Amino acid sequence: MIRFAQYDDIPKIMEFICKNWKKDHIMGRDRTLFEFQHVWGEEVSFVISENEGDIKGILGYIPYGTSQKDVMLAIWKTIKTTDTMLGVKILKFLQNSCDIKSISGPGINPRTRHLYQFLGLETGCMKQWYRLRPLDEYTIALVKENEIPQYQCNVQVQIEEYTDFEELMESFRLEECLVRENHPVKTPDYLKRRYFHHPVYQYLKYGIRYETKKLLVILRIQEYNGASILRVIDGIGDQELLQFFTIQLDALMEQYGCEYADIYETGIEDGILSDGGWKLTANTGNIMPEYFSPFERRNIEIHYMSSIPEVVLFKGDGDMDRPN
């Protein structure tokens, strides 16, 4: 039987993750983080397949609302059974739910792209962009190409930090940012919980305004071995305003002593970021690490799937930006 999980299923799901996905996976050992990511009111955001009370497969997802919602896939795992199509059936169960508007998933295994394509879903690889802070040497990055491009600075935009969600709603009018073509729609309640009340991470939140356009930028400082970098985790609103955030970005890197800033994204026009003084990591010979727990000094490709044509995604979508 395939069904949506209930609250009482959580211990079995966590045990299944430890036994069949990864022994020390954080979703199998940290109940607080599990509930933060997968318990939304009465909804436990897992589809499970079970036989006589034993779980045979799971598909975790993160809902961006409470009804007619866009969702992001998380852990998807089945064990060997007589049903070789069990994993696909679990995914189709979620996809065909009348309450689901779209499904997307950054962080898929590239070897499964053909499966998603067979199911009529789009696949691709996210782009990693970076901007260096000028330093004599770098601890986290491996820098062979140290060019720091100029950026657009002839447009006067308003940039303001927000630490209080109610101020973001009332002063910035966050709801005006939420609905954009090709963007999964994140509700105010989701954004409040995700970026203002995370149990582990602290995020920086900046609102950018230019004329009638506005963009909320979410960032996080990543530390390692006495050094740090600045990561752009999400952007909600008019993405073209990213090119005008660089003056604040450089100031933040200087303030917090970050070696560089990076962005993983798909769906944003390259000219927006290149005009903002960002460079693509690919083909530079530079290494801008993605994995920090444990740390791995290598570049990582993040593949994705989506039912939204030309979808806009960031590292903050799904479960890509979580503790390990």
Side-chain angles (χ1 to χ4, degrees), residues 294-310:
F295 178 76
E296 296 182 26
R297 205 181 201 193
R298 62 188 179 99
N299 291 329
I300 297 296
E301 290 186 341
I302 298 179
H303 294 259
Y304 69 90
M305 52 69 60
S306 182
S307 62
I308 302 174
E310 300 178 352

Side-chain angles (χ1 to χ4, degrees), residues 106-279:
I108 67 168
N109 187 325
R111 292 177 294 181
T112 64
R113 284 183 300 176
H114 68 283
L115 173 59
Y116 293 110
Q117 293 164 359
F118 173 76
L119 295 172
L121 303 169
E122 296 198 6
T123 64
C125 186
M126 301 178 77
K127 296 176 181 178
Q128 186 188 27
W129 299 79
Y130 72 92
R131 180 169 175 82
L132 293 173
R133 176 170 163 244
L135 297 171
D136 292 331
E137 59 180 349
Y138 297 86
T139 299
I140 294 175
L142 176 62
V143 178
K144 296 182 179 180
E145 168 56 66
N146 63 359
E147 178 192 7
I148 303 176
Q150 296 295 312
Y151 58 88
Q152 295 275 7
C153 58
N154 59 343
V155 174
Q156 296 298 314
V157 298
Q158 291 179 276
I159 301 176
E160 186 172 355
E161 183 178 10
Y162 290 92
T163 58
D164 179 78
F165 183 77
E166 299 309 319
E167 182 184 4
L168 180 66
M169 287 293 294
E170 295 171 9
S171 175
F172 189 66
R173 296 186 179 179
L174 174 63
E175 290 187 343
E176 296 176 0
C177 294
L178 301 181
V179 180
R180 296 291 187 279
E181 187 178 2
N182 303 334
H183 290 55
V185 178
K186 299 163 184 166
T187 64
D189 286 344
Y190 169 82
L191 291 170
K192 179 179 181 180
R193 172 170 167 168
R194 175 70 176 84
Y195 295 124
F196 285 79
H197 296 294
H198 197 283
V200 179
Y201 288 156
Q202 297 292 318
Y203 292 96
L204 302 172
K205 289 82 63 175
Y206 283 86
I208 312 172
R209 304 189 219 205
Y210 176 65
E211 296 180 343
T212 61
K213 297 182 178 181
K214 57 181 63 177
L215 174 70
L216 177 65
V217 180
I218 309 295
L219 309 99
R220 182 172 65 82
I221 297 168
Q222 175 70 63
E223 298 179 339
Y224 173 73
N225 196 26
S228 65
I229 66 169
L230 185 62
R231 317 205 76 172
V232 175
I233 300 300
D234 207 344
I236 300 100
D238 296 301
Q239 302 299 339
E240 57 264 42
L241 297 187
L242 267 174
Q243 63 191 299
F244 306 120
F245 186 68
T246 310
I247 187 170
Q248 182 67 51
L249 188 84
D250 286 353
L252 288 170
M253 285 195 286
E254 190 70 29
Q255 177 182 347
Y256 292 105
C258 299
E259 292 187 1
Y260 65 91
D262 79 339
I263 296 176
Y264 274 98
E265 60 78 24
T266 189
I268 300 176
E269 294 181 13
D270 286 359
I272 291 173
L273 290 167
S274 61
D275 286 349
W278 295 83
K279 293 195 69 172

